[in-house]
Amino acid sequence: MRKAFLIFGFLFLATSANASFKTNARSAFLIDATSGAVIMDKAGDELMPPSSMLKMMTLAVVFDEIKAGRLKMDESLNVPATADYNRPAMKPASKICLVTGQRLSMRDALLGTIVMSGGDATITLATRISGDEEKFAAAMNRRAREIGMPRSTFGNSSGLPHPDNMMTSRELATLAQYLMEEHPDLYPLFATQRFEFSDYRSAWCAEWGRTKTMNYNRLLFIMPGADGLKTGSTRDGGYGLTASATRGGRRLIGVINGLKVSNHDALAREMQKLLNYGFDTTRNHNFFAPGDEIARVPLWYGRKPNVGATVAKPFAITLPRDANVSAVRVVARYSEPLRAPVRIGDVIGEIIATKDGAEIARMPLVASEKVGRTRFIGRIWQNIKIIFGIK
């Protein structure tokens, strides 16, 4: 049986996607990283070529492999022939300027991807993991579904034009949040402002590299609190940037794609306007943090009569600063009977915030403690108490 109980009623401001921010970008999307609230949405669900922003998906797969121990940060990578900058296919690509058979450290491959947007670095990483780009693209597609990106598709690791390279701005934001939450040890690499690669094999490459040390993400240089993530640009599609910044302990994630400007500096200024819009026009109300005991949920056949319920992530609502005040209810729900045993982190219910009968936030309730199952005699005694109404 489904049970629900009011935790509390209170007054605060509700929010929804706000389109008052004006941009000539084909798509723009802005979320609060804690509440997940959409602050601004312009064509956020339209599939578009992501250009080099796609490299975030490449890095997600690589980071997952490092976390699993299948890749090492101190290992040396072999540059395959498909990553050689002399290949005609590499001519339009951003690159480190690698050649066949060259050895490349894992750290240089990651920074070359993030700072220099090196397509040759991504192909080297893809080949190391899957053997070739086609197999790696299949791994990218599988991982995207697991992350919660049902629509984006990938045909290569570099973001070079390919009919299967399509992403939505909403899913780019989802990917950015995955990178920062699941890989907090590697995410700071995205804030690297400069990278100087030293192992060039020709005078042309040395000159190329001398002028390519600054991160294409110019937001890192102009906005306090900016710490990622990745730019992209094509002649036909325009400029794009997936970015994140914090202010006063609050983090926003923004995506711009299809912006018709002349350079990355103009792109950064447009993203700065979008993020400032979010910070200036909205605020967060934080209700529960992980570890807070929100409720005690009755437990059947447990060594305790109930189990504590909390949240695995902060439960917050994003509020427009100038909206009208409205009544909001926060309700916890759980299915009864909940049977032991219960482990820490098991989903045991959900917490829901509503305004005027409409849901505005939802999050799972998880067990805050481990509760074992009673022995056979104990279970018999619990049945007897229920049959005869014994308290």
Side-chain angles (χ1 to χ4, degrees), residues 94-341:
S94 298
K95 46 191 163 283
I96 300 179
C97 211
L98 302 176
V99 296
T100 306
Q102 186 173 353
R103 304 298 299 185
L104 181 70
S105 73
M106 176 64 71
R107 184 173 182 82
D108 283 354
L110 295 178
L111 289 177
T113 298
I114 291 168
V115 178
M116 300 173 72
S117 198
D120 46 4
T122 66
I123 295 171
T124 299
L125 289 163
T127 304
R128 164 63 180 85
I129 292 171
S130 299
D132 61 51
E133 268 210 286
E134 184 176 353
K135 292 178 182 176
F136 186 79
M140 293 169 71
N141 284 297
R142 288 193 300 271
R143 196 73 192 100
R145 303 300 172 262
E146 294 166 357
I147 289 172
M149 301 163 58
R151 301 188 64 208
S152 297
T153 57
F154 308 94
N156 58 38
S157 66
S158 64
L160 283 169
H162 189 289
D164 289 340
N165 286 345
M166 300 292 284
M167 301 182 71
T168 69
S169 291
R170 183 187 301 273
E171 292 189 3
L172 279 163
T174 297
L175 178 56
Q177 191 154 16
Y178 176 82
L179 286 164
M180 61 185 62
E181 291 183 355
E182 295 299 318
H183 299 287
D185 55 333
L186 294 170
Y187 176 75
L189 291 173
F190 285 103
T192 304
Q193 294 185 344
R194 294 180 183 274
F195 169 61
E196 295 185 9
F197 186 64
S198 58
D199 190 18
Y200 291 113
R201 301 302 174 89
S202 71
W204 186 91
C205 283
E207 179 60 22
W208 164 273
R210 187 185 65 80
T211 63
K212 304 295 180 182
T213 62
M214 183 183 294
N215 197 318
Y216 287 111
N217 181 5
R218 302 295 199 259
L219 188 73
L220 299 173
F221 300 89
I222 66 172
M223 185 172 188
D227 59 7
L229 293 152
K230 190 72 191 71
T231 64
S233 65
T234 62
R235 179 179 300 177
D236 296 332
Y239 283 79
L241 173 59
T242 300
S244 184
T246 59
R247 181 189 295 177
R250 181 186 177 200
R251 178 180 291 279
L252 300 183
I253 299 171
V255 181
I256 287 174
N257 201 3
L259 181 68
K260 298 295 186 178
V261 290
S262 59
N263 53 48
H264 286 93
D265 294 309
L267 171 65
R269 290 192 294 271
E270 189 75 358
M271 178 58 75
Q272 184 179 32
K273 292 177 184 177
L274 177 62
L275 291 168
N276 280 337
Y277 166 80
F279 284 123
D280 293 342
T281 63
T282 65
R283 61 185 176 87
N284 274 6
H285 189 107
N286 300 307
F287 299 112
F288 300 110
D292 291 347
E293 186 170 286
I294 299 170
R296 301 292 302 183
V297 177
L299 190 61
W300 187 238
Y301 292 151
R303 294 186 178 181
K304 293 181 180 180
N306 48 53
V307 61
T310 187
V311 285
K313 296 167 59 176
F315 183 71
I317 305 293
T318 298
L319 327 167
R321 291 186 183 274
D322 57 354
N324 293 326
V325 177
S326 302
V328 173
R329 286 163 42 102
V330 173
V331 174
R333 292 179 179 171
Y334 61 91
S335 294
E336 193 180 69
L338 178 65
R339 293 178 179 272

Side-chain angles (χ1 to χ4, degrees), residues 71-77 104-107:
L71 287 181
K72 304 294 183 184
M73 282 296 291
D74 60 355
E75 74 175 88
S76 176
L77 307 172
L104 181 70
S105 73
M106 176 64 71
R107 184 173 182 82

